[in-house]
């Protein structure tokens, strides 16, 4: 399939994990992909691998907490590919995340964490939306988490913020032809999750309707759907891809 032929899509945090799966799938379906990440070594490898497989991709070093960095990344994307049609706000501090309570977490760490995990989606959206408008519209997919609906400390708080941001931005940019949705993965078997959960991941499976951990590939179909014209009247929604971990009215 070539659903994304002649489309340009940025994926932040695409040097590994679910973001990498998104980037590879988009490249395989014809998109010109920007692998935007702070991890230059892994990001370069992902971009080169997409090209080796017959796709089109570049790596751009990007700190999503920095408006200057995000603006430079957007400008480089347009210089290289001529415009921007899609954005996946996937970047997050997760695998190296500290465990602490909201009431005791170091304040500077908390602010840095939120600047990436919550504010980052807004920072990058602000950097790209005008380019999307010039193309007649586009689609933005934010990476949320079922942690938004469960006790997960400041990580869950950040993802609750991403959900609210998704719904608010959908109204602000809808008139520009830009849709904004989010994916909320459940427990997913990535290196970061293995680092964070360890053997406790086995206990997470017990609470799922489908008794297995999610895989990065399980998220890909939802992301491609939300980026594509197949979801042309879908915006402001948070789609849980979680094996039945959460149930919401």
């Amino acid at each position: 399939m070539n659903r994304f032929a002649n489309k340009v899509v940025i994926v932040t945090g695409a040097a590994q994990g679910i973001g990498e799966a998104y980037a590879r799938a988009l490249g395989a379906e014809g998109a010109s992909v920007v692998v935007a990440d702070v991890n230059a070594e892994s990001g370069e490898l992902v971009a080169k691998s997409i090209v080796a497989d017959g796709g089109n991709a570049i790596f751009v070093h990007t700190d999503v907490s920095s408006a200057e960095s995000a603006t430079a990344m957007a400008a480089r994307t347009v210089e290289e590919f001529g415009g921007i049609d899609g954005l996946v706000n996937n970047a997050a501090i997760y695998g190296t995340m500290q465990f602490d309570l909201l009431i005791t977490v170091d304040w500077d760490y908390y602010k840095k964490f939120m600047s990436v995990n919550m504010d980052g989606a807004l920072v990058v959206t602000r950097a790209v939306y005008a380019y999307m408008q010039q193309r007649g519209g586009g689609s933005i997919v934010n990476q949320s988490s079922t942690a938004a609906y469960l006790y997960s400390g400041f990580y869950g708080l950040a993802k609750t913020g991403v959900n609210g941001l998704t719904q608010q931005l959908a109204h602000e940019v809808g008139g520009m032809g830009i849709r904004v949705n989010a994916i909320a993965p459940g427990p997913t078997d990535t290196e970061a999750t293995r680092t964070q959960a360890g053997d406790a991941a086995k206990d997470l499976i017990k609470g799922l309707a489908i008794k297995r951990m999610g895989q990065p590939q399980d998220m890909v179909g939802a992301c491609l759907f939300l980026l594509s014209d197949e979801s042309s009247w879908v915006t402001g929604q948070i789609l849980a891809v979680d094996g039945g971990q959460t149930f919401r009215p």
Side-chain angles (χ1 to χ4, degrees):
M1 295 181 66
N2 280 290
R3 279 182 287 181
F4 297 96
N6 302 315
K7 299 293 186 181
V8 179
V9 184
I10 298 163
V11 184
T12 70
Q16 62 280 310
I18 298 174
E20 178 181 351
Y22 291 156
R24 290 184 180 277
L26 284 160
E29 290 217 21
S32 295
V33 181
V34 175
V35 176
D37 207 296
V38 292
N39 187 333
E41 183 177 0
S42 295
E44 289 278 11
L45 287 175
V46 172
K48 289 177 181 178
S49 179
I50 292 171
V51 172
D53 288 338
N56 196 15
I58 60 170
F59 168 76
V60 181
H61 185 276
T62 309
D63 175 0
V64 301
S65 70
S66 164
E68 181 180 5
S69 179
T71 298
M73 180 272 292
R76 172 73 195 287
T77 300
V78 174
E79 178 185 1
E80 186 76 22
F81 295 130
I84 300 171
D85 302 289
L87 166 65
V88 183
N89 282 312
N90 170 76
I93 296 170
Y94 177 50
T96 59
M97 179 177 63
Q98 297 178 13
F99 284 100
D100 208 334
L101 303 174
L102 279 164
I103 54 177
T104 56
V105 63
D106 178 80
W107 190 245
D108 288 337
Y109 179 78
Y110 169 82
K111 288 191 292 184
K112 174 60 178 176
F113 184 90
M114 298 300 275
S115 75
V116 173
N117 287 43
M118 184 176 71
D119 296 338
L122 179 56
V123 168
V124 181
T125 296
R126 285 165 60 105
V128 308
Y129 81 89
Y131 294 116
M132 286 187 174
Q133 186 180 19
Q134 290 171 10
R135 300 272 270 198
S139 177
I140 297 171
V141 177
N142 296 325
Q143 192 81 329
S144 180
S145 169
T146 55
Y149 313 119
L150 307 166
Y151 169 65
S152 301
F154 49 85
Y155 181 74
L157 177 60
K159 294 305 185 180
T160 300
V162 167
N163 289 352
L165 181 67
T166 297
Q167 293 165 334
Q168 299 302 317
L169 282 174
H171 283 270
E172 290 196 9
V173 299
M176 304 174 191
I178 302 171
R179 298 179 296 104
V180 187
N181 294 285
I183 296 171
T188 306
D189 185 22
T190 62
E191 182 178 349
T193 297
R194 290 191 290 273
T195 299
Q196 286 295 333
D199 291 338
K202 298 176 182 177
D203 293 328
L204 294 174
I205 296 173
K206 297 175 183 178
L208 305 182
I210 300 174
K211 304 300 182 183
R212 67 170 176 83
M213 289 281 283
Q215 299 296 321
Q217 198 64 29
D218 289 320
M219 312 302 152
V220 167
C223 184
L224 297 186
F225 168 70
L226 292 173
L227 286 171
S228 76
D229 292 339
E230 295 167 19
S231 58
S232 62
W233 208 47
V234 179
T235 196
Q237 304 304 304
I238 293 89
L239 175 58
V241 185
D242 65 354
Q245 182 186 30
T246 58
F247 295 89
R248 294 174 292 133

